Structure formats: C-alpha cells, structure tokens
C-alpha cells in the first residue's frame, strides 16, 4: 500500500486534467496555443481590435509584436528582460485599469520569450481587421461536429447494461484496473431515488408495495415507466427548465415589480409539454418561434394553437422595466434584448454570448459582430425602435362567438343602465321638489335653476347658493336619506345590471412574443455596446465559429409579402437540425446533470474556454447523438440513463477509489443529493398529508407572513411550482434552501449547507404547522395492526392508554411516522430512541401547556425532528 498510494496520487493528477477549467500548457510553448489566449483576454481589445491600435501596437501575431509600435519593439525573442510586452505586464502598467494579467500567465509569457517565442506555423503577411478566429480556437472540443463514438466492449460480468455503462466503466478502469461499479442499490432505495428524480415526490406505500412485490423480469423498467406517466413528472422537470429559462411571475420593474397576470401559461405549457413527451426539437422551435407557426389573424384559436403561442413566453421571461412608464425607454428596451440573448445563449448554446456585447469575447471565439448577428435574429420581435410594453403583447383568446355574445350582453346592460339612469334622475328630481317646498317661494326659482344647471356649467353664484343650502345637494349616493324606498329600488336595478354583465364570458389572454407585421428592422453593431452609437449593419445568423472555416449560417428574410421575417423560425430549425455542435451536447448534459447532481460538463451554461472540460467527452457526444436518434424524446433519455448500472449503483464508498476520485467525477458510486428547495417543501406537505396536487392555473401570490417572511397566500399547500415567483418577494423558505433569485436565469443551482437552513427548519411557522398536521395524520390514520410484529419485537413498553382513532398504540403511530417520512420501516434501535424522546417530552409537556393535548404535542415534536433530519433532506 505504501507504493500504491503515490501511484494513485499520480493517476489522480493525470485523471483530473480533463475537468480543469483551462488546459495545462503544452511542453513546447507556442504563440498560437499558449500565448495568444492570454493576449486576447487582456491586450487585444486595444492592440488588435477593429478600432485604431493603441500606441500603434498590434499583438495579433508574433511578427507584429516584434515590429512594435510607437514605443518601439515589444518583443525580443530569447530576451524577456528587454521585451516591453513582458516588462509592462510585470510593472502592472498594462493593461490599464484594475484588471491585470495574473502572475502565472506573466510567468508563462516570460518562459515563452526565453524559449525564443516559438510559433506553431509560419505567420501570414497580413490578416483582416479584428481579432478573428484562429485554427486553435476552431479546434476546441465544443465547436467540433458531434461524433457518435463506439462504446468500449465489456462482458456481462462487468454489469454493463447500456452503452452508458461501457463509457463510464472505461473511464473508471483508466484510474485502475481493479476499479468497478459499486453494487446495485436495493429495490426500496431505487424507487425512492427514481421517484425523487422523476416526480419530486416520495413514492406512496402502494407504489412501493407494487414494485417490491413485482417478481417478473422488467419490474424496474415498468416502475420507471409508471413514474414517467405520472402528472407529477411534468411538474418536476418543468422546474428544471424554468430555472434556465429565467421564469418569473413579475416584471422586475423596480419597487413596483408588477405581477405578470398571464405568465403562468408559459409555465403550464412547459409542464404539459414534458408530460406529453413533446420532442425537444419541437419544444425548442415553439419557444423560439411559436408565433410563426400559427397563421394570422389570431381568432378562434384552437387549444394547440394557444399552447404554441404560450410557448413564446420563453422569450418574455426576463425582467422588463418598460412595463410601466418612466425611465429611459431605449436603455431599458435594449437591456431586455440583451438579457433575452443571455437566456438563449446559456440555455441552448451553452455559451456566455453576452460577453461579446461590447467587444470581441475575451476568451471564446465570438466576435462582437457575431453577437449582433444573433441579436438580428430576434430584433424583428424585440425591436427597441418600435418597442412594445408587456401590456401590448397580449393576445385575446375570445372566439368570434364569445365576442359577439359579450357585445350583445353589454348592449342589453347599457340599455338597462340608461333606464336606471333616467329613473335615478326622476327620483332625485322628486326628492328635490319635496325639499324645495321647505324654502320661501321667492327663493325657489333661483335654487331650481342652480340645481338643474349641469355642475360644470354653474356660475360662481349658483355654486355658492347650493353650498349654502346643502339639503338640496341630492345625488344618487345620498338619495337613501330622502327616499329610502327609491334607493332600495335603484339598488335592485343595479344588481340586475351587474348580473346581466356577469353573463359575459371572461376575456382571457396569452402573453405572446411576435413581430410587427411587415417590419424588418436593420440591426447595427453598437460601439462599445452603446445603443446610442450605432455602427455598421449586420445580417442575422449563427456564430461564425460553429460553421466550417470560410462559411457562416446566414438567415435571409422571408419574401416581403410575408408579414413575418421568418428569422427566428429558421434559426430554431437550424439549432435542432441534429448537426449543430452545441445544442445536442448542451441538452444531453442538462439531462444528465439533473439525474446525477452534476453534468458531464460541470458548467452547463458555459461550454467555452472558461468552462470546464467534459469528464466523459465520448459519452457526452454519444448521448447527444442518441437524443436525436430517439426522436428528441426526453422520456426515452430518462429510460436510457436510469436503466444503466451507473444510475442503479449504491452510494457506498470505495476507500481506494476515493483516493483518486473523492468528488466522484467518474461515477464509481451513486451521489447522495440534497432535495431542491421546492421539492423539500412539497415532500414536507406530502408527509403531513396536506399536499394539494391540483394542476395548472394562476400562480399562488406571495404575501407577507406574521413575522415578515414571504409565504404563499392563504398558506396554500399546492406544489411549489405553482407558487408565485415574485422577484421582489421570493418565498423565504425556498430561498433559504437555495431557490434561485431570477435576476436573469439560473444555469445551475448551487446547493449550500448553512445555519439559516437549520434555523428555518427549527422555527419556520410552515414546518411547525406541518409537523402538527403530520401528528394529526398519525392519530387519524395509523391502522391498529400497523407493523405489529416489528413493534412487538422492539423493547417498547406501551402500557399507556393513549390510542389513535383507529386504535393504534403510540409505538405504532411512531412506526407509521417513519413510513411517511422515510418510506421505510423503523428499526428496533430507532424505535427505542423514539421511546426515549417521547418519554422525555411527556415529562416536560403537561396537559395545561397545550390546548390540543400533550400526546398530540409529543407526536408533533417527534414529527418536527423527522422533517428536519438529514435522511429527510437527502436522497440516497
């Protein structure tokens, strides 16, 4: 073992190389491979961009650096002490500003210069303006065409059930021939794990019994299929997509944070799409260009057409400060466009395209012009020059029949209203006449004239006259003081009018992103990203680096006679053609990440040079091609991943494997994962028996609770996905457990462990109330024969007289609590510990301390412990 450990440590260093953020320098440093990336990040913006070269110095080629600028030669190969390029960096003079070249990069440049400043190839005499895209950048793995690699060959004894297993086992055995998969988890663990992954809810006792008693071949596969068919599946996986889409139920317009009344229809679209296993290529097309798939005019829309239009809510998720007046409309509108492109870039391209908004991307080969080409795809629908606020993007769902009916009913109501108005005036006039008789006859004519003159036409004398005699100021509002019977009659008439108007069908809307017909805005590159300084026009298209050298995917506009430009539809179809180098990889990586807690690429929103390299590149490409071969079916990908040995492994540690892969990068065991915030809340409600599974519809508003915390209105017990995502008022319980704040979107949740989480579980009124509800459930539901043999086998002396409503003993209720919380039987040791807890609680809780009785309080405290425990918070 003393010799083995150093060898394993060496293997560790070598094996971690594929997942480092940047590649280690090659043995022979070259300008193209090692130095130019540093210069691009820190220098080329001033010394190689499309603008005038600062100091006349061009650093895009080694030869240009040797030629130097106005300060003289910047590079003397072999002489680092004389090279201004290096000296200025060492003295922190260059680049100007706060951001400086890191010491390790400066050392690399010094080493390269000392070695003679070698290059990989002969440099050209001249190059076009701009930083450009080099062959080295094009060769980066994420920009290469996706290849379908053949899985390594293994025998049945290796427990290779799927090609996934072959790829993973090959990487495991590269760490050491003796390394293999951990043993399969037991059936109970597997159904708990699969249920958490696919539905976010614990399996019911009926589901567990059905699976455990299914002894026929294929029982595991059938269990997976049942979970995939559950309506809860779409709710669980919609949450994952809504994170990356940046979904929120409010506009984020400052302190007003206006609620988005119809945003929920996009959320419901995503849930329905996943439950129906809508192919992901169609899912993407509808979100990017659903409006171009539904012919106009939009009247008498079918349910399918409404769903397709609702899908465009994907492009309306980001904060929109233009929803109310005030502010700089052009600035705010351009920010909405920029944030929308960030969402598209991180969710579908896996790139930080927004970094190229002001200048060429410092790390990835994304010129600023490419960013604006991408912007040109979306600008006909998100056009700051003809900006439409959210209220101007609503499409009515009224059918022609409903609209006609509404108009007829309104006309009838107005007719009734006219009659009531006339009757009201007659009653007022009659009451006036009665009151007028109380005044001297010589004053009556002037008073009548003042009263009958319309209010906006009265002279100052008439106003003063009526003000001096308030008893004559008779209106519909105070008529009851003069003629109660008439007032009651008018009230009945108004109720009749309201009843008539209530017969009108309620007009519903969808928030849609679409284009202004026949408008093709010209997109121009902005100087330093400033919309007030437009430069040259650009045409719509994809990123240049994603096409073969010398080519670029361009999008021509539709025929001018077609109202829509067709840009987004063409771009969406290009993305899901099956040939795009990024989309398939990005989607496959996200699917994998949500099953294992980490992606094959750990930076799911950044596949660029600053992102991490894939731990299993061949597997990632194989999954990307398999996604297309499976018809873009998400459920098929679930089945493929979840039926693998990789997924079925236990979480048992192998100490020797931990020495070389302590982070489980190579999947030698199943990861133990903490529940997401929303799933934790849902499982607490499920344990208490109060979870409301009503699907779809408007979001439950977030309101202020007793202690100032944000809670669902009415303490709603619906699933968390239906609770309002209010940017200015996030639900306190969810944020404590790392639910994202939607500034733009959430590429990957970071799960933390912190003291406020423990305090939330201990003190939250929500957790306390659900623990009490769980105790009520134990008292009401526990069968009298629950786990009888198991309870009797434990050292429990249950001589007290307290019984549940079904006749269950305290021991049986405690055993049932374990079943509800953990979906497993309680052990004798746990039952003994629970007995000690109950005994201690009984000693301190007297009958006079709780209205509901001490036994219920004891059970509630026990349930509180279970809901706060690690086993409840984590999935094995």
């Amino acid at each position: 073992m003393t010799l083995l450990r150093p060898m394993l440590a060496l293997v560790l260093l070598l094996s971690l190389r594929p997942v480092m953020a940047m590649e280690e320098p090659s043995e022979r440093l070259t300008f193209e491979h090692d130095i130019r990336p540093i210069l691009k990040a820190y220098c080329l913006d001033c010394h190689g961009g499309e603008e005038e070269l600062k100091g006349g110095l061009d650093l895009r080629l080694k030869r240009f650096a040797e030629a130097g600028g106005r300060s003289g030669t910047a590079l003397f190969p072999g002489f680092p002490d004389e090279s201004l390029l290096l000296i200025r960096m060492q003295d922190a003079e260059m680049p100007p500003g706060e951001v400086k070249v890191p010491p390790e990069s400066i050392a690399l440049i010094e080493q390269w210069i000392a070695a003679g400043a070698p290059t990989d190839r002969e440099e050209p005499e001249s190059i076009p303006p701009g930083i450009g895209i080099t062959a080295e950048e094009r060769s980066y793995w994420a920009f290469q065409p996706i290849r379908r690699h053949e899985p390594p060959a293994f025998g049945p004894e290796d427990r290779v059930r799927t090609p996934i297993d072959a790829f993973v086992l090959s990487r495991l055995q590269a760490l050491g021939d003796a390394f293999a998969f951990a043993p399969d988890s037991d059936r109970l663990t597997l159904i708990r794990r699969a249920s958490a992954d696919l539905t976010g809810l614990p399996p019911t006792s009926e589901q567990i019994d059905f699976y455990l008693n299914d002894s026929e071949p294929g029982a595991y596969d059938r269990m997976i299929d049942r979970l995939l068919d559950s309506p809860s599946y779409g709710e669980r996986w919609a949450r994952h997509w809504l994170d990356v889409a940046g979904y929120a139920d409010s506009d984020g317009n400052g302190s007003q944070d206006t609620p988005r009344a119809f945003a929920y229809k996009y959320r419901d679209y995503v849930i329905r799409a996943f439950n129906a296993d809508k192919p992901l290529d169609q899912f993407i097309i509808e979100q990017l260009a659903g409006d171009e798939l539904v012919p106009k005019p939009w009247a008498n829309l079918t349910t399918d057409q409404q769903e397709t239009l609702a899908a465009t809510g994907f492009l309306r998720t980001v904060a929109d400060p233009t929803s109310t007046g005030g502010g700089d409309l052009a600035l705010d509108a351009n920010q909405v466009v920029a944030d929308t492109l960030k969402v598209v870039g991180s969710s579908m391209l896996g790139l930080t395209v927004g970094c190229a908004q002001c200048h060429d991307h410092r790390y990835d080969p994304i010129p600023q012009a490419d960013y604006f080409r991408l912007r040109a795809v979306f600008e006909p629908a998100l056009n700051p020059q003809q900006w439409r606020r959210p209220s101007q993007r609503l499409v009515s769902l009224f059918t022609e029949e409903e609209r006609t009916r509404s108009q007829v009913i309104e006309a009838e109501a107005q007719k009734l209203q006219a009659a009531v108005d006339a009757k009201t005036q007659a009653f007022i006039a009659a009451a006036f006449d009665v009151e007028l008789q109380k005044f001297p006859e010589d004053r009556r004519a002037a008073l009548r004239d003042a009263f009958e003159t319309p209010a906006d036409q009265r002279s100052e004398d008439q106003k003063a006259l009526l003000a001096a005699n308030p008893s004559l100021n008779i209106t519909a509002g105070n008529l009851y003081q003069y003629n109660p019977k008439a007032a009651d009659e008018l009230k009945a008439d108004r109720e009749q009018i309201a009843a008539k108007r209530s017969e009108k069908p309620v007009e519903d809307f969808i928030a849609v992103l679409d284009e202004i017909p026949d408008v093709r805005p010209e997109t121009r590159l902005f100087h330093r990203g400033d919309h007030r300084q437009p430069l040259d026009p650009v045409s719509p298209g994809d990123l240049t680096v994603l096409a073969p050298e010398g080519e670029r995917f361009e999008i021509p506009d539709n025929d001018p006679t077609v109202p829509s430009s067709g840009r987004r539809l063409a771009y969406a179809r290009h993305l899901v053609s099956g040939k795009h180098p990024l989309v398939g990889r990005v989607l496959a990586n996200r699917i994998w990440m949500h099953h294992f807690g980490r992606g094959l690429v750990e930076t799911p929103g950044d596949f660029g040079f600053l992102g991490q390299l894939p731990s299993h590149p061949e597997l990632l490409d194989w999954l990307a091609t398999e996604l297309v071969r499976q018809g873009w079916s998400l459920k098929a990908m679930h089945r493929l991943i979840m039926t693998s040995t990789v997924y079925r492994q236990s979480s048992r540690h192998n100490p020797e494997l931990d020495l070389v892969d302590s982070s489980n990068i190579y999947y030698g065991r199943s990861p133990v994962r903490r529940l997401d915030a929303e799933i934790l809340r849902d499982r607490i409600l499920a344990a208490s028996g109060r979870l409301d599974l009503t699907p779809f519809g408007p979001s439950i508003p977030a309101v202020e609770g007793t202690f100032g915390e944000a809670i669902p209105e009415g303490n709603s017990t619906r699933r968390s996905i239906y609770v309002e995502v209010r940017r200015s008022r996030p639900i306190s319980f969810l944020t404590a457990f790392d639910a994202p704040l939607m500034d733009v979107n959430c590429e990957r949740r970071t799960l933390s462990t912190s003291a406020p989480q423990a305090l939330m579980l201990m003190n939250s009124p929500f957790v306390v109330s659900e623990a009490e509800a769980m105790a009520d459930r134990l008292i009401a539901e526990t069968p009298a024969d629950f786990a009888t043999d198991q309870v009797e086998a434990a050292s429990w002396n249950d001589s007290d007289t307290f019984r549940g409503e079904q006749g269950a003993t305290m021991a049986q209720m405690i055993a049932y609590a374990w079943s509800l919380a953990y979906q497993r039987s309680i052990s004798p040791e746990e039952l003994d510990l629970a007995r000690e807890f109950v005994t201690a609680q009984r000693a301190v809780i007297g009958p006079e301390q709780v209205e509901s009785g001490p036994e219920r309080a004891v059970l509630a405290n026990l349930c509180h412990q279970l809901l706060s425990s690690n086993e409840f918070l984590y999935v094995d």
Side-chain angles (χ1 to χ4, degrees), residues 150-162:
E150 283 300 316
F154 288 95
E157 68 277 4
D158 297 301
R159 298 168 55 226
V160 172
R161 294 179 167 110
T162 70

Side-chain angles (χ1 to χ4, degrees), residues 548-782:
E549 189 167 5
E551 301 179 22
R552 187 169 61 214
F553 177 71
E554 303 278 4
I555 304 176
D557 281 343
N558 277 337
D559 186 291
T561 61
V562 179
S564 171
S565 70
R567 295 180 188 179
R568 283 175 291 117
L569 183 57
Y571 182 62
R573 287 172 172 164
H574 164 67
L575 290 180
V576 297
S577 64
K579 299 178 181 178
H580 198 280
L582 288 172
V583 175
R585 285 174 172 140
V586 169
L587 292 178
N589 188 62
R590 287 195 175 280
I591 298 169
W592 182 275
M593 178 180 72
H594 293 308
H595 279 300
F596 293 97
R598 69 190 309 156
L600 297 170
V601 177
E602 282 210 71
T603 48
D606 188 0
F607 278 35
F609 286 99
L610 287 187
Q612 293 205 348
L613 300 173
S615 59
H616 298 70
E618 295 84 4
L619 173 57
L620 179 60
D621 275 17
W622 187 89
L623 289 170
T625 60
E626 190 64 17
L627 177 60
V628 178
R629 287 170 61 127
Q630 295 283 355
W632 296 86
S633 166
L634 178 56
K635 289 188 177 182
M637 296 300 288
H638 290 312
R639 293 186 187 96
L640 177 64
I641 292 172
M642 298 178 74
T643 54
S644 69
T645 300
V646 180
Y647 183 83
R648 298 194 210 187
Q649 295 178 98
S650 74
S651 58
R652 190 179 74 184
H653 283 252
N654 177 339
E656 292 190 354
L657 181 56
D658 284 348
L659 285 174
V660 294
D661 187 20
S662 60
S663 297
N664 197 30
I665 294 170
Y666 295 106
Y667 304 101
R669 55 180 167 81
S670 177
V672 176
R673 292 179 289 145
R674 204 203 72 204
L675 299 174
D676 290 346
E678 295 87 348
I679 303 311
L680 174 57
R681 176 180 174 273
D682 293 348
R683 287 172 72 98
I684 290 174
L685 290 167
S688 72
R690 296 191 341 114
L691 180 63
D692 181 355
L693 293 175
T694 304
F696 310 126
S699 297
I700 307 301
V703 299
E704 187 173 310
T706 305
F707 303 101
E709 78 279 22
I711 62 172
E713 186 177 60
N715 288 309
S716 172
T717 60
R718 291 190 65 192
R719 286 204 73 171
S720 300
I721 195 168
Y722 298 114
V723 175
E724 181 182 58
V725 182
R726 189 78 177 268
R727 298 181 200 271
S728 61
R729 191 182 293 160
I731 300 298
S732 301
F733 182 84
L734 300 182
T735 54
F737 287 92
D738 308 307
L741 302 175
M742 288 304 176
D743 293 329
V744 179
N745 67 338
C746 175
E747 299 167 5
R748 177 189 177 184
R749 293 197 181 193
T750 301
L751 298 183
S752 65
T753 302
S754 63
Q757 293 168 352
L759 293 171
M760 182 66 75
L761 291 172
M762 290 168 59
N763 302 312
S764 165
F766 164 69
V767 180
V768 171
S769 65
E770 294 310 311
E772 292 172 348
M774 186 176 174
D776 291 336
R777 184 180 183 185
L778 298 179
I779 296 170
E781 292 184 9
T782 308

